[in-house]
Amino acid sequence: MAELTESVSYERDGDVAIITVDNPPVNALSWHVRQGLVDGMAQAVADDSAAVVLICAGRTFIAGADISEFGGEAKGPSLQDAQSAMEDAPMPVVAAIHGTALGGGLEVALCAHYRVALASAKFGLPEVNLGLLPGAGGTQRLPRLVGVPKALDMVTSGRHIGSAEAAEGGLVDEVIDGDHDALRAAALAFAARAVANNMPLAKVRERNELVESVRGDSAPFDAIRAKIARKARGFLAPEYNIRCIEAAVNLPFDEGLKEERRLFMELMTGPQSAAQRYYFFAERAANKVPDVPKDTPVADVRRVGVLGAGTMGGGIAMNFANVGIPVTIVERDQESLDRGLGVVRKNYERSRSTTPEQVEQRMSLITGSTDQADFGDCDLVIEAVFEDMDLKQQVFAKLDEVCKPDAILASNTSYLNIDQIASATSRPSQVIGMHFFSPANVMKLLENVRGAESSPTTIATAMTIGKQIGKVAVLAGNCDGFIGNRMLARRRVEADRLILEGATPEQVDRVLYDFGLPMGPFAMSDLAGLDIGWKAETSSGSTVREIMCESGRRGQKNGRGYYTYDPETRAPTPDPEVVDMIRDFAVAKGIEQREVTDQEVLERCLYPMVNEGAKILDEGYAIRGSDVDVVWVNGYGWPVYRGGPMYWADSVGLAEVADRIRHYADTLGGSHWQISPLLARLADEGGKLHQHANG
Ligand SMILES: NC(=O)c1ccc[n+]([C@@H]2O[C@H](COP(=O)([O-])OP(=O)(O)OC[C@H]3O[C@@H](n4cnc5c(N)ncnc54)[C@H](O)[C@@H]3O)[C@@H](O)[C@H]2O)c1
């Protein structure tokens, strides 16, 4: 076997050439892989090979581009060079596929004349998830094999398909059961057959039937646009992927390729993909804790306890049952337990992705009880009772008594002091915050909160288990509201001020929605219920929220809040009565109402969050700026195409942000406008919040 480059080797089996890519961990298309493909094909031509088999070592076929090369200087041949060498080869080229043929990997496979794959192999074009599109012919070749509707689905969702599905449309010519050796043997046999039977050099680019049959028909494009409208709001890449497939349908192949290239370059050099690529790495970095090394022992969590089966407890329990970890859930009485478990069952039944058998299987993993003593065999217990320090301390003292000595005790508190909670136990080193977001079975974020005494094993366990249940775990320090809610609270102050000054709730919400957030603060309040923490006895009409509650406005639950809700559709309509109430309240307070611009709304809602994020970072409650971004993207729906609040502030320019914060500090006042020393310093030095890291 000859080494062509550091990652590609060449050998012959009879008169068939075998090119093997070995670029761990995922055989990404680094420059030396591209070089090896070009050299390997040239060698096969030079030694008159009858056919070529392209196969990969390790756990997968080429799984995509080498994204560490993005934005860097181009080195070695382009991917297109490698693809042309294969597609235009004078002998049949067979790709042997195992693992995942994704992105550039699939685009390479599409330039082989034939594809043989293990039954377990997966195929996909996930570029859309990085704000991109497959820029090496994927959008032009894929629909020629799988048809336009499926190609549209795949490029807009990034979804993978299996070998069986791939074989239906001719994306795979032969599916093999067995291991890597069987795949290699089958690919060689296929190649020999192709030679013996003089099979044509089937070029995907020349197969026009499936694209021509859709020419002039806008239906599949209208359908996909309607289907993804909600999820894709604000994103450029899904639409650009669709346009590429339109080009595949309506233009000759080479023209389509050009259009794909043009749109690819626009995305690649644009701000959205830059933000999404940054975010990709941010999420991976979040799992690393500098003072908790990789080899820190992690507790073996075989059974989890959940205390409280309310809104959060039920959802938290589902996360563990979903991955096969048995859960004991304890409530204060049978009625609350039955209600809580009923909600869990209903959530499973409503979910389209769970079969009736799975519902039963998962429910069977959840054992209800009204006695905390039943936590005796749990390795981790997560508390989700009411947000009340006395109660939390009381239940933690009890947990400490009934749980195994080595069990880890976690609290799902949103704001309360973890150290104070831990002090109620004899094991503060085994206490940690595990802050899930609502709905806990859906939201990806897990904000773990380290107490002063949380041990490395406790922290490592919380981070590891988070990953195991499919969450993105971020480690926060123990400050009021931790990372996410501490920042959110500052936005709230300004949103409430803005409506007194003349902005309407609808305007504030619209500006933030248009920015890309799922909803603004007033829609959010209506959803949560305006009367959370409100008591009629003590209400004194001293805030807009109080007067709203006093006038019977409770939010979505009774159809009236900052908005009026349609009883059927729950669609919100701005309510002039609310605007009047706010104005009267402002007048009574001596606040003059004026026209507030959208730009002011945006700055006053988002800059205090940025400022607070910088303070959190500076005070060491977040490990790195990018962690703050991960919290906001996964926990609060910050649009990933804007990277996160830290990254976004950097992209606006910290000097500009600092300038505006100082302006509002002078004109409006309030501690949340006092500029973060870190932000001020980075603004002066030309530094970046999203790159700032502690430890
Ligand atoms: N709701 C959210 O959006 C959200 C998000 C993140 C964190 N949290 C936090 O999660 C915790 C729970 O919030 P929630 O919204 O699920 O509240 P909830 O009122 O829906 O549920 C609390 C449950 O705890 C039960 N409970 C109370 N005392 C108990 C005891 N001594 N033993 C056993 N069970 C007891 C109650 O019966 C109730 O079912 C709070 O600390 C809250 O701050 C809530």
Side-chain angles (χ1 to χ4, degrees):
M1 185 148 51
E3 304 295 324
L4 296 172
T5 68
E6 63 187 88
S7 58
V8 180
S9 57
Y10 183 89
E11 66 190 300
R12 295 252 299 191
D13 181 289
D15 57 0
V16 177
I18 304 172
I19 299 174
T20 305
V21 176
D22 187 6
N23 187 28
V26 295
N27 290 316
L29 281 164
S30 313
W31 73 268
H32 40 85
V33 172
R34 302 193 300 270
Q35 183 74 58
L37 292 175
V38 169
D39 293 352
M41 289 309 304
Q43 178 71 35
V45 172
D47 63 21
D48 238 356
S49 294
V52 176
V53 166
L54 168 63
I55 193 162
C56 293
R59 59 180 153 99
T60 178
F61 191 74
I62 299 167
D66 180 349
I67 78 170
S68 67
E69 285 185 4
F70 284 11
E73 216 175 288
K75 200 172 169 191
S78 69
L79 183 54
Q80 285 73 15
D81 292 339
Q83 289 175 300
S84 304
M86 291 169 59
E87 196 170 47
D88 299 334
M91 74 290 277
V93 178
V94 179
I97 301 164
H98 73 297
T100 47
L102 299 181
L106 179 54
E107 291 179 296
V108 166
L110 285 169
C111 289
H113 303 117
Y114 298 100
R115 283 153 297 278
V116 172
L118 284 186
S120 54
K122 300 237 180 312
F123 305 81
L125 293 173
E127 284 81 354
V128 69
N129 296 328
L130 290 178
L132 293 171
L133 55 87
T139 63
Q140 305 305 299
R141 291 190 179 89
L142 186 67
R144 287 175 152 80
L145 291 182
V146 303
V148 168
K150 185 168 285 177
L152 281 169
D153 173 46
M154 286 175 71
V155 296
T156 55
S157 68
R159 185 171 81 86
H160 306 169
I161 60 171
S163 278
E165 198 176 343
E168 279 167 29
L171 175 53
V172 170
D173 299 285
E174 190 177 318
V175 180
I176 310 295
D177 280 310
D179 59 8
H180 193 267
D181 288 343
L183 174 69
R184 183 184 155 107
L188 282 168
F190 194 106
R193 254 193 341 270
V195 175
N197 299 343
N198 221 356
M199 283 162 64
L201 301 181
K203 295 184 188 178
V204 175
R205 58 186 295 156
E206 290 170 357
R207 294 178 55 169
N208 294 330
E209 199 184 317
L210 289 177
V211 287
E212 279 173 358
S213 65
V214 183
R215 200 162 284 171
D217 179 7
S218 69
F221 302 103
D222 296 344
I224 193 77
R225 286 193 172 100
K227 184 176 165 205
I228 65 168
R230 220 179 114 104
K231 234 181 117 198
R233 181 174 71 91
F235 286 86
L236 283 179
E239 170 60 24
Y240 279 32
N241 271 279
I242 295 172
R243 286 188 200 164
C244 286
I245 307 255
E246 277 175 330
V249 166
N250 297 317
L251 301 175
F253 183 83
D254 286 327
E255 294 299 308
L257 263 192
K258 272 192 210 143
E259 180 65 356
E260 181 194 76
R261 192 82 219 141
R262 188 180 73 76
L263 292 172
F264 175 81
M265 287 314 293
E266 199 180 318
L267 289 178
M268 185 56 132
T269 54
Q272 288 204 351
S273 177
Q276 287 177 256
R277 280 178 278 137
Y278 150 73
Y279 185 76
F280 176 88
F281 290 110
E283 216 168 77
R284 273 144 195 81
N287 212 38
K288 300 188 185 80
V289 182
D291 63 341
V292 179
K294 243 184 143 173
D295 55 1
T296 303
V298 173
D300 185 12
V301 178
R302 296 186 176 192
R303 177 172 277 277
V304 170
V306 176
L307 183 65
T311 309
M312 296 306 289
I316 292 170
M318 289 172 78
N319 287 309
F320 294 97
N322 291 349
V323 296
I325 299 178
V327 183
T328 302
I329 188 160
V330 174
E331 255 293 346
R332 50 184 171 164
D333 53 47
Q334 192 62 40
E335 197 189 329
S336 311
L337 179 65
D338 292 343
R339 186 185 34 76
L341 289 177
V343 172
V344 170
R345 174 174 282 281
K346 227 181 263 149
N347 281 339
Y348 274 134
E349 285 171 350
R350 253 196 310 230
S351 149
R352 262 175 293 155
S353 58
T354 352
T355 63
E357 294 76 44
Q358 282 172 326
V359 174
E360 295 314 319
Q361 184 259 339
R362 290 181 195 182
M363 287 307 295
S364 75
L365 285 171
I366 304 178
T367 312
S369 164
T370 53
D371 185 0
Q372 283 200 38
D374 288 334
F375 284 143
D377 58 350
C378 292
D379 307 292
L380 163 71
V381 178
I382 303 169
E383 163 280 313
V385 303
F386 306 129
E387 185 81 339
D388 176 281
M389 182 54 86
D390 289 343
L391 176 62
K392 302 254 187 209
Q393 287 196 318
Q394 214 178 305
V395 299
F396 266 76
K398 175 80 178 169
L399 287 175
D400 190 34
E401 238 175 76
V402 299
C403 291
K404 294 193 290 195
D406 59 351
I408 291 172
L409 309 180
S411 174
N412 183 49
T413 178
S414 309
Y415 285 94
L416 300 176
N417 186 324
I418 295 295
D419 292 334
Q420 223 175 316
I421 295 175
S423 72
T425 73
S426 64
R427 57 176 100 186
S429 68
Q430 287 156 247
V431 175
I432 190 163
M434 286 179 74
H435 183 208
F436 290 79
F437 286 66
S438 183
N441 55 317
V442 176
M443 295 296 286
K444 293 277 278 179
L445 180 66
L446 174 61
E447 196 180 34
N448 287 326
V449 187
R450 75 190 291 170
E453 296 187 49
S454 304
S455 73
T457 288
T458 302
I459 293 169
T461 304
M463 299 301 282
T464 305
I465 197 90
K467 209 170 175 185
Q468 210 178 325
I469 58 175
K471 301 290 179 198
V472 176
V474 173
L475 191 64
N478 181 26
C479 59
D480 189 37
F482 318 126
I483 297 174
N485 282 341
R486 180 170 155 183
M487 289 164 70
L488 184 68
R490 305 305 180 262
R491 183 179 88 181
R492 184 81 233 177
V493 174
E494 280 306 304
D496 286 341
R497 275 179 164 186
L498 279 162
I499 56 171
L500 294 182
E501 291 171 34
T504 60
E506 186 269 335
Q507 182 191 5
V508 174
D509 284 352
R510 174 179 48 76
V511 168
L512 293 176
Y513 180 80
D514 288 348
F515 179 79
L517 286 155
M519 65 178 84
F522 299 103
M524 206 176 193
S525 297
D526 275 359
L527 183 66
L530 295 183
D531 54 356
I532 288 187
W534 175 80
K535 290 203 178 78
E537 312 85 77
T538 52
S539 188
S540 58
S542 63
T543 62
V544 169
R545 196 175 168 119
E546 282 192 343
I547 55 168
M548 300 264 287
C549 285
E550 287 164 20
S551 69
R553 291 181 172 270
R554 300 288 147 85
Q556 272 199 32
K557 62 177 127 179
N558 75 344
R560 299 170 73 228
Y562 286 102
Y563 300 86
T564 307
Y565 293 86
D566 184 296
E568 297 284 308
T569 62
R570 291 207 285 175
T573 319
D575 190 335
E577 197 181 295
V578 170
V579 175
D580 288 347
M581 275 166 66
I582 296 169
R583 194 188 42 239
D584 293 349
F585 182 82
V587 168
K589 292 254 169 205
I591 300 167
E592 205 177 308
Q593 292 220 318
R594 63 187 167 88
E595 189 132 329
V596 179
T597 65
D598 287 356
Q599 180 62 22
E600 181 175 344
V601 170
L602 194 74
E603 291 179 358
R604 286 180 59 184
C605 286
L606 300 188
Y607 287 171
M609 287 173 41
V610 169
N611 198 34
E612 200 65 23
K615 288 179 187 174
I616 290 169
L617 193 53
D618 204 14
E619 292 161 15
Y621 294 114
I623 297 170
R624 38 185 99 73
S626 58
D627 286 2
V628 175
D629 287 341
V630 173
V631 164
W632 270 83
V633 169
N634 278 306
Y636 302 82
W638 183 282
V640 65
Y641 58 80
R642 295 190 199 273
M646 302 289 95
Y647 181 91
W648 173 73
D650 290 330
S651 65
V652 170
L654 286 189
E656 156 78 9
V657 174
D659 199 45
R660 299 305 292 161
I661 290 175
R662 289 191 175 104
H663 162 77
Y664 289 121
D666 290 345
T667 53
L668 300 166
S671 61
H672 59 293
W673 283 119
Q674 268 165 30
I675 194 159
S676 142
L678 174 68
L679 198 159
R681 180 162 63 76
L682 292 176
D684 283 347
E685 294 170 354
K688 304 267 189 226
L689 278 171
H690 76 275
Q691 289 168 344
H692 188 79
N694 296 309

